[in-house]
Amino acid sequence: MNIRILNSREDLNATAAAVIAGLLLTKPQAMLGLATGSTPIGIYRHLADMYRKGQVSFARAYAVNLDEYVGLSQNHPQSYRNFMNEHLFRHIDIPIPHTHIPDGNANDLEAECAAHEQAILEHGPVDLQLLGIGHNGHIGFNEPGHSLTGYTHVVDLDERTRTANARFFGHIDAVPKQAVTMGVGTILKAKQIILVAFGADKADIIKRALTGPVTTACPASLLQCHPNVLILLDQEAGGWFH
Ligand code: F6R
C-alpha cells in the first residue's frame, strides 16, 4: 500500500482529483468506481473545476457507484443518484447513460444487483475505485460481520452507519435500513483503489484497517490484499503513522 499524508484537506482533494484526471488523460474511456458521503465532495469539486478549465474530459468515461439506499426514489434528495448528479455529473461532460448506480427502489432488487455487476463486466473492469471508510471499517456498505459477500447485494445497514448518516436525513428514523452495495469481491477487482479519509474521528479505524489483521470484522482491512492501493489521509486521520 502506498500511504500519503497530506498537509491539508485541500491538498488531499487536489491529489485525488489529479490521479483521476491523470487516468482519464491516458485512458479517456476508463471506468471510474465512485463513492458518495462527505469524503469525496471536495474531490468532485476539484474535478468539476478541472473540467471547466478544459483540463479533463469525461465524455468517453464510464462511472459505476458503490452503493445506493433501498427504498429511495432516484430523485429523493438523499439518494446517491441525486448526490452524484448534484456533486459531479451535472458539472461535467459524462453522458448519463455511461453512469451506473443501482436503483434502490427497483421491484426486483436481485435483478438490480445482477445488472450492476453486468454493467461493470460490459464496460469494466473498474480502472480506479474511489473509497471512503466508515467508522466501523465498512467500504461501500459492506458492514463488519462473520462473513462478507463478494458481489453486489442487498445489505442490512449497521446501526452505527445509520446513526452516522442521520446527519444527512435530519433524523435516524428517516435513514433507510437497507442498501444495495458492491461486494468486497467487486471492489477488489478494481485495477487501482484510492481510499481517502480525513479527520481525527477516522484515525483509529484507518490504523486498524491498514495495520491490523485482515478480517471481515473490518472490511477495509481486505484492502491489504490488493496490489495497487493508494491511501490518502490528512494529518488528523494519519497522524499515528509517523
Ligand atoms: C459511500 C460509501 C461509504 C462511505 C463511508 C464514509 O458511497 O460507500 O462507504 O464512504 O460511509 O462516509 P463519509 O465520507 O460520509 O464519512
Side-chain angles (χ1 to χ4, degrees), residues 81-141:
R81 165 57 75 181
N82 190 58
F83 176 101
M84 290 309 301
N85 288 344
E86 289 303 311
H87 289 287
L88 185 64
F89 297 155
R90 75 184 178 90
H91 305 287
I92 61 175
D93 59 345
I94 194 164
I96 290 300
H98 284 201
T99 67
H100 299 274
I101 304 177
D103 178 1
N105 220 10
N107 286 330
D108 186 345
L109 287 173
E110 293 306 316
E112 197 59 25
C113 293
H116 202 55
E117 290 289 334
Q118 188 57 34
I120 297 171
L121 271 182
E122 263 172 44
H123 306 292
V126 172
D127 290 285
L128 190 157
Q129 177 66 55
L130 185 61
L131 294 177
I133 183 170
H135 295 101
N136 60 1
H138 74 208
I139 47 176
F141 276 137

Side-chain angles (χ1 to χ4, degrees), residues 35-39 66-67 132-134 138-140 167 202:
T36 57
S38 49
T39 305
L66 284 166
D67 40 26
I133 183 170
H138 74 208
I139 47 176
R167 67 193 195 280
K202 294 279 173 81

